[in-house]
Amino acid sequence: MSRMATSNILDRPLGRSSGRGGSSSEGSVVSLSAFAYVYSELVQYHQGRAASISELERRLESAGYGVGLKVLELVAYRAKETKRETRLMSILHFVSSSVWKALFGKSADSLERSIDHADEFMIVDYEPITSTFVSVPPDLGQLSADAYVSGIIAGVLDGAGFSARVTAHSVNVEEGEYTKPQGGNVVTGLPARKDKAVFLVKFSQEVLARDAALER
Amino acid sequence: MSSPILFVIVGKNEPLFEAEIDTHTGTTGGNDLSTRQNYFVLHSALDLVEKSAWTTNSMYLRVVDKVNHQQVSTFLTAGNIKFMLLHGGKGEEVVRSFFNEVYGYYVKLSMNPFYKYDTPITSLAFENRVRAAARAYLC
């Protein structure tokens, strides 16, 4: 009777996802449909146990939080630069490019700073995979299924020492804002989405104070 | 030369992992008094680590504190987990290589979905590998 040798997690290689181009020979890419199935089960699981919309969002966010903490360590390790981010702008760039690339295969579509509030930033994604296959019924109102991703962002920022409150919003896409090729969504073949996901990141006061002190 | 090496991983609130390595035998050892003193020295260096953590964006912080003939070297991960090493004057490169290897093990450990970030590390496999790395690089 033969048994497959189980290797310890500490012996397995971590892979070089940032080194390769799109396709990977080591098979570390997960199909979108597999993710969509698992994610829909996750959402339904929490939906059955949450009593209100905000509780459901909180549950999704805390599910993503643990992922964010681990993704931070993994992406930083794979970058192989032994550098951490200590400044606000650099951690936001790290999130919107490196973390997004590692998770979704592309950079976030834009990173903006709010004009009204100095402590608010927005990361925009035109096609977030967490809500691509989700239709929100009217009685759930403003729920965004991307709460999972905002949990991931919050985990990454908290782990790096920049505590922040991250929320996900669906905002209608303006005419002409989209620069995707005509004919709809090239990834899944679905028609172009009418709304984009905006992740609002609001940093806590002490983070801003510390960053201002470092500026000098 | 009996200078045991003390390696501690410190999270945001508490130590997550401790290993005392005796350079002679490569196992735990040392009498209680010097052990307690070593822990004290290492934890008192935490303030200095916090101070210099935000002034540099490299992970390896070199020697942050010198007490008597012992030095405290620190390595900071992307998630601000501190690896601290109390040693009697090992070379920079050996310490850096040791930290890099432990960093690799730490990242792999955190890929375990059952390991919660910033909680004590109880994995025996992790401890064995850290001790092996210490024997390889620091003895």
Side-chain angles (χ1 to χ4, degrees):
Chain A
M1 193 164 79
S2 69
R3 199 159 63 123
M4 226 172 43
T6 52
S7 64
N8 196 307
I9 190 177
L10 296 173
D11 293 326
R12 283 196 238 139
L14 273 178
R16 305 264 169 277
S17 69
S18 52
R20 313 271 156 133
S23 66
S24 71
S25 46
E26 70 255 21
S28 64
V29 175
V30 173
S31 72
L32 180 60
S33 37
F35 173 76
Y37 273 124
V38 173
Y39 188 66
S40 80
E41 269 312 305
L42 180 84
V43 175
Q44 284 173 55
Y45 173 84
H46 286 304
Q47 199 174 2
R49 281 165 175 76
S52 66
I53 304 173
S54 53
E55 193 182 333
L56 175 59
E57 271 199 355
R58 259 200 315 278
R59 277 168 169 263
L60 287 175
E61 277 172 17
S62 57
Y65 187 80
V67 175
L69 291 169
K70 290 164 197 257
V71 157
L72 168 66
E73 294 278 5
L74 184 65
V75 172
Y77 180 78
R78 280 190 180 156
K80 285 211 151 300
E81 278 171 6
T82 59
K83 289 237 175 301
R84 308 147 29 231
E85 311 300 335
T86 48
R87 306 301 314 276
L88 206 74
M89 285 317 293
S90 53
I91 187 81
L92 282 170
H93 278 297
F94 177 74
V95 169
S96 61
S97 50
S98 312
V99 175
W100 234 258
K101 269 208 197 80
L103 294 175
F104 309 123
K106 57 168 185 146
S107 300
D109 293 304
S110 103
L111 170 63
E112 295 155 18
R113 185 187 197 132
S114 159
I115 308 172
D116 313 317
H117 306 271
D119 55 350
E120 284 182 5
F121 293 81
M122 288 159 290
I123 300 179
V124 180
D125 192 342
Y126 287 121
E127 279 148 29
I129 59 174
T130 43
S131 54
T132 306
F133 299 109
V134 169
S135 60
V136 184
D139 53 331
L140 286 182
Q142 284 300 306
L143 171 78
S144 171
D146 302 315
Y148 186 69
V149 179
S150 56
I152 295 181
I153 300 175
V156 172
L157 291 174
D158 258 359
F162 297 83
S163 55
R165 177 124 176 69
V166 186
T167 46
H169 306 271
S170 293
V171 173
N172 281 333
V173 177
E174 323 272 330
E175 284 295 319
E177 189 180 340
Y178 234 141
T179 52
K180 286 272 157 136
Q182 296 306 317
N185 190 327
V186 289
V187 171
T188 59
L190 295 174
R193 291 169 57 128
K194 286 201 300 295
D195 48 6
K196 58 186 176 180
V198 174
F199 298 100
L200 189 65
V201 181
K202 191 178 173 74
F203 288 101
S204 59
Q205 285 308 312
E206 50 173 28
V207 172
L208 290 163
R210 188 184 63 209
D211 202 61
L214 282 179
E215 188 94 23
R216 287 184 249 110
Chain B
M1 250 284 290
S2 67
S3 72
I5 290 168
L6 183 59
F7 174 64
V8 174
I9 299 183
V10 184
K12 308 246 170 162
N13 298 320
E14 51 169 353
L16 309 179
F17 178 78
E18 290 157 355
E20 194 185 347
I21 302 134
D22 193 344
T23 44
H24 281 310
T25 60
T27 56
T28 53
N31 58 53
D32 270 338
L33 178 60
S34 66
T35 307
R36 276 203 285 274
Q37 209 175 352
N38 290 340
Y39 275 113
F40 180 73
V41 166
L42 207 129
H43 284 83
S44 68
L46 278 173
D47 283 334
L48 291 159
V49 173
E50 290 278 332
K51 209 170 65 153
S52 52
W54 294 106
T55 59
T56 171
N57 68 345
S58 56
M59 285 185 176
Y60 180 50
L61 292 182
R62 303 167 184 276
V63 176
V64 298
D65 194 17
K66 279 205 240 282
V67 171
N68 303 331
H69 53 273
Q70 289 173 319
Q71 300 170 344
V72 178
S73 301
T74 309
F75 180 92
L76 225 51
T77 70
N80 283 330
I81 299 291
K82 311 169 193 37
F83 294 173
M84 304 184 64
L85 189 72
L86 179 74
H87 57 96
K90 298 281 174 205
E92 292 263 329
E93 282 314 304
V94 246
V95 173
R96 190 198 291 261
S97 330
F98 171 70
F99 276 143
N100 275 323
E101 187 154 335
V102 177
Y103 181 42
Y105 290 136
Y106 175 76
V107 176
K108 289 178 188 175
L109 177 84
S110 60
M111 288 298 105
N112 180 351
F114 295 115
Y115 173 68
K116 190 157 183 269
Y117 170 80
D118 210 18
T119 51
I121 298 174
T122 51
S123 160
L124 193 58
F126 182 79
E127 182 174 345
N128 289 338
R129 278 163 182 74
V130 167
R131 286 188 186 282
R135 271 200 305 275
Y137 288 105
L138 301 171
C139 288

